[in-house]
Amino acid sequence: MLVLASMASTGVPVKEIPGSYGPPVLGALADRFEYFVTEGVDKFFKNRIDKYKSTVFKVNMPPGPPIVWDSRVVMLLDGKSFPVLYDLSKVEKKNVLTGAYMPSTAFTGGYRVSVYLDPSEENHIKLKRFCFEALKNSRDRYFPEFSRAFDELSAAVDKEMASSGKASFATQIEQLIFNFLCRSITGADPVTQGLGTDGPSYVTQWLAPQLAPIASSGFLPKIVDELTIHSIPLPFWLVSGSYDKLFNFLWTHASPVLDVAEKEFGLNRAEACHDLLFNISFNAFGGMLIMFPSIVKYIALAGNQLQRDLAKEVRGAVRSQGGLNGRALESMALVRSTVYEVLRMAPPVPLQYARAKTDFVVESHDGFYGVKKGELLGGYQPFATKDPKLFDRADEFVPRRFMGQEGEKMLKHVLWSNGRETDETSADNKQCAGKDIVVMVARLFVAHFFLRYDSYTIDQSSSSVTFSTLNKATA
């Protein structure tokens, strides 16, 4: 407790972390019931902020017993305290991707893949460097393969609009993302070389049992979720067939990349393939599947003027640079700011975790709190990135927020990739290896969209993104 004593000696009051875990087992089950059933995620956190008059407090996080017997977490729910989750001098990131719960390694070939490793582990450095190399080797395919995948999406959407007067974006975006990722990383086409159009469904089938204990099914009554997927871990054998098809595709068609893993980084070939599959399917596919519909939704809700401004910027940049290339994309300031604002409003991975590896003091806007070695810390990113003490109109979508010098300064408060947007990813930290590529691809999506369409509206009564109007480009 030397850190706490040092703070006290300077006259800085160090507070006890408020909150309660309740009685063993029952407290965790009660918190889980409120989280999923009676309150919902946002209200669950907001009610406790109001109750404890603090954005730092103790609470049990799902899934809890009987899947995880120790579900105690210190939550950090503001933009000032949250970044300590990235400070590797104070925390470690071993086996905490999904909090106290970690899916069986059976889902990843028996290996702990890189996202579950702490940077202090030797294999983390090898696997992340391998990931960097795989991304580097794919860079010449990003623009042409995204253009190809977007053309396929828009053709399917246009056909559905013509036949029924509306079109599901959610259905088509899965295929775009999966095809783009596989074609970029491997150079092979999953549609014609082994997987057909079933690749996205194989991924979602594999993801579902891993995330079930900490998510809602979306189709079962909430109380049934509590008695089933939140209480009983689903076994890998239920989805082993889907996973094997994905693995075999990469084993065959990512052979040059896997050669690099073996020869340059000394990795076991099978382990590298499982890690690559996780990064493509869980990290990239899963993240983009949340982010792209969010982009469509927020731009739609912002109204026609933003759409007109985006179309004007995109088409002007493409004309002046002779096509949709890197130079054109870099000149689209409004597109860039809009994408960052979507990431601020709806971070693709909302929860982050880390475990204290020493005693230290965490600072929120309201005070200083003593954290003890071994405590599990968590943060809910949408509260941190919509912190009203950091952002004006924090709960509003402001597309131009990050434009200009002052806007650029605010990017340090955009927390979405296991780090600040202004931080650099490296083999020595846990920031997403493809952070910059994800932002680039999101900007490419907006650019392609407004090259092809003037404007659109969505069905606001639908839980998924569905186009109700879609007007093709006229100029």
Side-chain angles (χ1 to χ4, degrees):
M1 302 294 285
L2 292 177
V3 175
L4 306 189
S6 175
M7 294 290 289
S9 69
T10 62
V12 176
V14 179
K15 303 177 182 179
E16 287 290 325
I17 298 171
S20 170
Y21 299 120
V25 181
L26 294 178
L29 293 176
D31 281 347
R32 189 178 78 196
F33 191 80
E34 291 175 350
Y35 183 92
F36 284 117
V37 180
T38 61
E39 295 179 339
V41 179
D42 283 21
K43 192 174 180 181
F44 177 85
F45 291 130
K46 180 66 168 60
N47 285 348
R48 283 152 183 77
I49 290 173
D50 293 342
K51 178 180 179 180
Y52 301 125
K53 302 295 187 285
S54 173
T55 51
V56 177
F57 54 81
K58 299 174 181 177
V59 73
N60 296 287
M61 287 294 291
I67 294 178
V68 173
W69 291 102
D70 186 356
S71 56
R72 297 171 298 172
V73 181
V74 174
M75 292 302 294
L76 314 173
L77 299 180
D78 64 84
K80 193 167 189 177
S81 63
F82 188 100
V84 78
L85 297 170
Y86 312 141
D87 186 347
L88 297 179
S89 69
K90 297 176 180 176
V91 302
E92 70 171 18
K93 307 285 275 187
K94 183 178 180 179
N95 298 339
V96 294
L97 176 68
T98 45
Y101 157 73
M102 178 182 167
S104 167
T105 57
F107 287 96
T108 51
Y111 296 97
R112 285 174 62 229
V113 289
S114 53
V115 293
Y116 292 109
L117 301 177
D118 185 75
S120 63
E121 298 178 75
E122 181 182 359
N123 229 32
H124 177 274
I125 295 174
K126 290 182 179 180
L127 287 167
K128 197 162 184 184
R129 286 177 177 167
F130 163 56
C131 185
F132 287 144
E133 192 66 22
L135 293 171
K136 178 183 174 183
N137 289 343
S138 307
R139 61 190 175 189
D140 290 340
R141 291 192 285 264
Y142 293 141
F143 274 65
E145 290 299 353
F146 193 87
S147 178
R148 176 186 176 187
F150 187 89
D151 285 347
E152 292 167 348
L153 172 141
S154 57
V157 167
D158 290 348
K159 181 178 179 181
E160 189 176 348
M161 286 294 298
S163 64
S164 63
K166 61 181 181 179
S168 169
F169 177 74
T171 301
Q172 302 302 334
I173 195 61
E174 291 184 357
Q175 205 70 51
L176 178 151
I177 296 168
F178 186 80
N179 291 345
F180 163 71
L181 290 170
C182 288
R183 292 166 182 168
S184 296
I185 298 297
T186 69
D189 187 350
V191 176
T192 61
Q193 293 177 267
L195 297 177
T197 58
D198 294 324
S201 65
Y202 294 150
V203 173
T204 54
Q205 289 164 22
W206 169 68
L207 288 174
Q210 296 181 73
L211 298 177
I214 55 172
S216 297
S217 66
F219 59 89
L220 293 172
K222 292 179 180 180
I223 191 63
V224 176
D225 279 353
E226 286 302 291
L227 297 173
T228 56
I229 62 173
H230 295 162
S231 299
I232 305 168
L234 300 175
F236 170 65
W237 62 261
L238 291 172
V239 295
S240 60
S242 296
Y243 186 76
D244 288 346
K245 290 182 176 69
L246 295 168
F247 182 86
N248 290 336
F249 174 82
L250 286 184
W251 186 261
T252 301
H253 299 292
S255 185
V257 178
L258 299 178
D259 288 343
V260 171
E262 281 190 301
K263 296 173 183 177
E264 294 191 22
F265 301 105
L267 288 164
N268 175 285
R269 192 178 187 88
E271 180 178 16
C273 193
H274 286 293
D275 202 75
L276 182 63
L277 177 50
F278 191 96
N279 285 327
I280 290 174
S281 300
F282 195 111
N283 292 350
F285 180 87
M288 290 181 187
L289 196 58
I290 295 170
M291 181 174 60
F292 282 16
S294 294
I295 290 173
V296 172
K297 181 187 75 171
Y298 278 106
I299 291 176
L301 298 180
N304 289 336
Q305 186 59 55
L306 174 61
Q307 295 183 38
R308 286 194 291 268
D309 292 344
L310 287 168
K312 181 179 179 181
E313 179 181 74
V314 168
R315 295 168 196 179
V318 168
R319 282 194 298 269
S320 66
Q321 297 299 332
L324 181 46
N325 50 41
R327 295 185 305 275
L329 198 63
E330 285 303 310
S331 69
M332 300 176 193
L334 178 57
V335 169
R336 177 177 182 267
S337 179
T338 298
V339 166
Y340 280 134
E341 181 68 345
V342 172
L343 286 170
R344 185 188 74 84
M345 294 293 291
V349 180
L351 289 161
Q352 294 285 343
Y353 293 95
R355 194 172 294 278
K357 61 184 182 184
T358 184
D359 295 341
F360 66 90
V361 172
V362 63
E363 182 181 2
S364 74
H365 295 301
D366 304 313
F368 298 85
Y369 298 90
V371 171
K372 297 176 183 177
K373 179 180 179 180
E375 286 189 302
L376 184 61
L377 311 177
Y380 184 55
Q381 278 182 157
F383 277 29
T385 56
K386 290 187 280 188
D387 186 335
K389 294 186 178 180
L390 298 177
F391 291 100
D392 293 330
R393 299 158 61 193
D395 289 325
E396 293 182 37
F397 178 67
V398 182
R400 289 175 170 78
R401 188 184 296 276
F402 299 106
M403 294 178 70
Q405 290 185 352
E406 291 306 309
E408 198 73 22
K409 293 177 183 177
M410 295 304 293
L411 285 174
K412 66 183 178 182
H413 299 304
V414 177
L415 316 168
W416 69 275
S417 59
N418 216 346
R420 297 181 184 272
E421 175 54 33
T422 50
D423 292 342
E424 291 292 328
T425 182
S426 74
D428 299 317
N429 64 29
K430 290 300 292 183
Q431 190 154 32
C432 174
K435 171 179 79 85
D436 295 335
I437 293 169
V438 169
V439 174
M440 180 196 74
V441 170
R443 291 155 65 189
L444 265 181
F445 172 75
V446 176
H448 274 287
F449 193 95
F450 285 103
L451 282 176
R452 190 173 185 94
Y453 304 103
D454 279 338
S455 61
Y456 67 97
T457 58
I458 61 173
D459 180 359
Q460 297 187 34
S461 66
S462 174
S463 58
S464 63
V465 175
T466 300
F467 295 112
S468 49
T469 64
L470 194 57
N471 303 306
K472 292 186 178 180
T474 55

